[in-house]
């Protein structure tokens, strides 16, 4: 009951998890995908790690431990007077929650209040920093033929603007830039309805 679901809702800016003062409310993992500094981040709210005789909650704790084994970073939420994290298989960052209530955070904690928003910017910056470290650096790889063709189309349109932009009418330059942006959109998976249907029927044989 350290405020995990309240924090997830605050970061998602919508009610994705049930919030209750009853400990053990969260039983299954709840996922929220977000973009932090251009990095794809998956936030997962899990059941808290504690001893319990509730068979369903026991399964929830087991699932939490499995998700921890897959995580790049674990946020251990600690309310005032709460326990320190146990040894875990993933890197851990202690987050002192409910800072709108009395209680002191240790020097190693990130102090937040999901209700008032205090400390959330610092927490998001910490998650982004860890995400960047996990993804590493280096040249991006194009793994699909569709992406390669779209990037080549974008390059052609931009080359045309750079080479002939000074002599072309403004409306033609604008059209080249529009086509370049459209090609980049295809890399991200943004395709028109007609194109999507063409690809669907090209890849499948649909009969009666």
């Amino acid at each position: 009951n350290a405020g995990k679901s309240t924090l997830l809702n605050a970061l998602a800016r919508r009610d994705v998890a049930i919030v209750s003062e009853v400990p053990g409310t969260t039983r299954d993992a709840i996922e929220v995908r977000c973009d932090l500094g251009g990095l794809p981040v998956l936030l997962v709210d899990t059941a808290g790690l504690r001893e319990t005789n509730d068979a369903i909650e026991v399964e929830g704790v087991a699932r939490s431990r499995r998700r921890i084994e897959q995580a790049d970073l674990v946020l251990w939420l600690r309310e005032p007077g709460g326990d320190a994290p146990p040894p875990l298989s993933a890197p851990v960052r202690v987050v002192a929650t409910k800072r709108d209530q009395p209680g002191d955070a240790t020097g190693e904690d990130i102090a937040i209040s999901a209700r008032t928003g205090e400390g959330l910017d610092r927490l998001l910056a910490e998650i982004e920093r860890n995400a960047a470290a996990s993804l590493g650096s280096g040249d991006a790889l194009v793994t699909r033929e569709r992406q390669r063709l779209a990037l080549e189309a974008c390059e052609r349109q931009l080359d045309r603007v750079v080479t002939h932009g000074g002599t072309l009418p403004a409306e033609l330059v604008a059209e080249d830039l529009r086509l370049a942006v459209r090609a980049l959109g295809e890399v991200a998976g943004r395709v028109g309805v007609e194109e999507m249907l063409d690809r669907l029927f090209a890849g499948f044989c649909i009969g009666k």
Side-chain angles (χ1 to χ4, degrees):
N1 200 31
K4 301 185 301 301
S5 297
T6 302
L7 174 61
L8 184 71
N9 290 343
L11 296 180
R13 298 182 181 179
R14 55 192 175 92
D15 292 335
V16 294
I18 297 175
V19 175
S20 170
E21 295 182 358
V22 179
T25 299
T26 302
R27 304 297 182 93
D28 210 346
I30 301 174
E31 300 181 350
V32 170
R33 299 180 185 276
C34 61
D35 182 308
L36 291 182
L39 301 172
V41 174
L42 177 65
L43 304 175
V44 185
D45 177 26
T46 69
L49 302 184
R50 67 172 190 158
E51 297 296 328
T52 177
N53 294 322
D54 185 313
I56 298 177
E57 191 176 355
V58 168
E59 175 59 24
V61 172
R63 293 186 181 190
S64 295
R65 293 190 180 278
R66 289 196 292 269
R67 297 305 292 260
I68 287 173
E69 294 175 356
Q70 302 169 355
D72 296 304
L73 176 67
V74 173
L75 301 179
W76 181 267
L77 273 57
R78 186 179 67 84
E79 62 182 331
D83 297 329
L88 298 174
S89 58
V92 180
R93 195 70 167 90
V94 178
V95 179
T97 61
K98 304 182 181 181
R99 301 311 301 156
D100 51 312
Q101 300 179 8
D104 295 328
T106 68
E108 297 180 354
D109 293 356
I110 298 177
I112 69 164
S113 170
R115 290 187 174 180
T116 67
E118 175 187 349
L120 293 187
D121 288 344
R122 182 186 172 194
L123 177 60
L124 286 171
E126 179 74 5
I127 297 173
E128 181 180 334
R129 184 183 68 79
N130 277 270
S134 298
L135 290 173
S137 59
D139 296 334
L141 296 178
V142 178
T143 58
R144 295 181 178 274
E145 178 72 4
R146 174 183 62 81
Q147 294 173 334
R148 182 184 67 81
L149 294 175
L151 288 172
E152 289 178 350
C154 178
E155 182 182 25
R156 287 195 300 272
Q157 300 303 143
L158 293 178
D159 282 344
R160 177 179 166 88
V161 171
V162 172
T163 305
H164 305 290
T167 59
L168 292 174
E171 56 270 21
L172 293 182
V173 174
E175 177 65 9
D176 285 331
L177 291 175
R178 186 188 70 81
L179 293 174
V181 170
R182 179 181 177 183
L184 285 179
E186 292 181 7
V187 175
R190 299 176 183 174
V191 297
V193 174
E194 293 300 326
E195 186 175 358
M196 180 179 66
L197 291 175
D198 288 342
R199 292 180 182 176
L200 174 64
F201 284 101
F204 295 92
C205 178
I206 302 177
K208 294 182 179 179

